[in-house]
Amino acid sequence: LENIEYIIGRPTKEKKMTTAIVFDTETTGLLRPSANKLEDQPYLTEIFAYKVDENAEIVDKFESLVRPPIPVPEKITRLTRINDQMLASAPNFRKLYPDLAKFFLGSSFLVAHNASFDVGILETELRRIDKLTQFPWPPHHICTAEYSTAINGSRMSLKNLCKHITGEGVSGHHRAQNDVDALLMCFR
């Protein structure tokens, strides 16, 4: 534990950050093993992202609810408070794609808590519209859940990581913007 910047995965002098995408997603469920059919995988219901500069100052934001082709399971609505009525007039992922790709374009880092899940959900949606190889992924990915193992030997929830680093809790977690706000507090 030499310094907190390593723990939360901030860029080093060798990997200078120009801009980073700090993001979170909400979905209709958890990812299943990749051998499952694409239509059996969960769907995106919400995405929120900040684009931040090298000082972790917000320079832009992207937010959208996303209408999935299936009903939101009741257990997910209880967890996220996202329901079918909220999503009825939201764009589907195909319509959202051009703006999302434009937002990600040119960033050098991607930051997420449990990045493998959020990246996996985006990859799943991109496969559904045949855009996986065209998406402008930032070349460096930082997962604060993985880096949190240096603190206590196991992955910490975003709520616990935020409390450990900032002394503050997370309110309204399991909504994309609230989770990104908490993540950004940890990243700064």
Side-chain angles (χ1 to χ4, degrees):
L1 295 197
E2 292 187 11
N3 66 49
I4 198 70
E5 290 183 358
Y6 171 75
I7 292 170
I8 62 169
R10 290 196 62 169
T12 63
K13 290 178 186 173
E14 296 81 34
K15 293 182 182 175
K16 177 120 174 82
M17 181 171 71
T18 53
T19 60
I21 302 295
V22 182
F23 86 113
D24 186 52
T25 62
E26 301 301 335
T27 69
T28 60
L30 297 175
L31 285 167
R32 296 182 175 104
S34 59
N36 281 272
K37 294 178 182 176
L38 204 51
E39 62 267 17
D40 292 336
Q41 294 290 359
Y43 290 85
L44 191 64
T45 59
E46 182 180 36
I47 185 166
F48 186 91
Y50 287 127
K51 186 177 287 188
V52 298
D53 65 16
E54 63 273 359
N55 299 312
E57 296 298 323
I58 299 167
V59 295
D60 202 358
K61 76 175 182 177
F62 182 92
E63 62 182 317
S64 184
L65 292 171
V66 184
R67 183 173 33 86
I70 63 169
V72 177
E74 182 59 37
K75 66 181 179 183
I76 298 298
T77 296
R78 283 193 304 273
L79 181 67
T80 65
R81 298 167 314 281
I82 296 172
N83 61 48
D84 293 328
Q85 280 184 317
M86 293 170 64
L87 303 177
S89 61
N92 63 26
F93 187 77
R94 183 177 299 279
K95 288 184 181 173
L96 187 73
Y97 172 79
D99 291 334
L100 184 64
K102 183 177 178 182
F103 185 81
F104 271 66
L105 185 64
S107 290
S108 54
F109 284 82
L110 178 145
V111 181
H113 193 78
N114 197 8
S116 62
F117 177 79
D118 294 305
V119 168
I121 286 293
L122 278 184
E123 286 176 346
T124 298
E125 292 289 4
L126 291 164
R127 280 189 181 96
R128 287 181 172 127
I129 63 169
D130 199 28
K131 294 288 187 185
L132 180 62
T133 59
Q134 290 86 32
F135 193 71
W137 292 105
H140 307 287
H141 294 193
I142 297 169
C143 177
T144 55
E146 289 178 16
Y147 281 105
S148 72
T149 60
I151 295 172
N152 70 352
S154 63
R155 291 167 66 111
M156 297 174 74
S157 68
L158 180 57
K159 178 180 177 180
N160 290 339
L161 180 63
C162 193
K163 183 126 178 119
H164 179 82
I165 291 174
T166 69
E168 297 179 31
V170 177
S171 62
H173 66 289
H174 294 299
R175 283 304 301 267
Q177 181 174 359
N178 295 338
D179 288 354
V180 172
D181 287 338
L183 181 56
L184 189 57
M185 284 186 351
C186 293
F187 191 67
R188 285 184 169 156

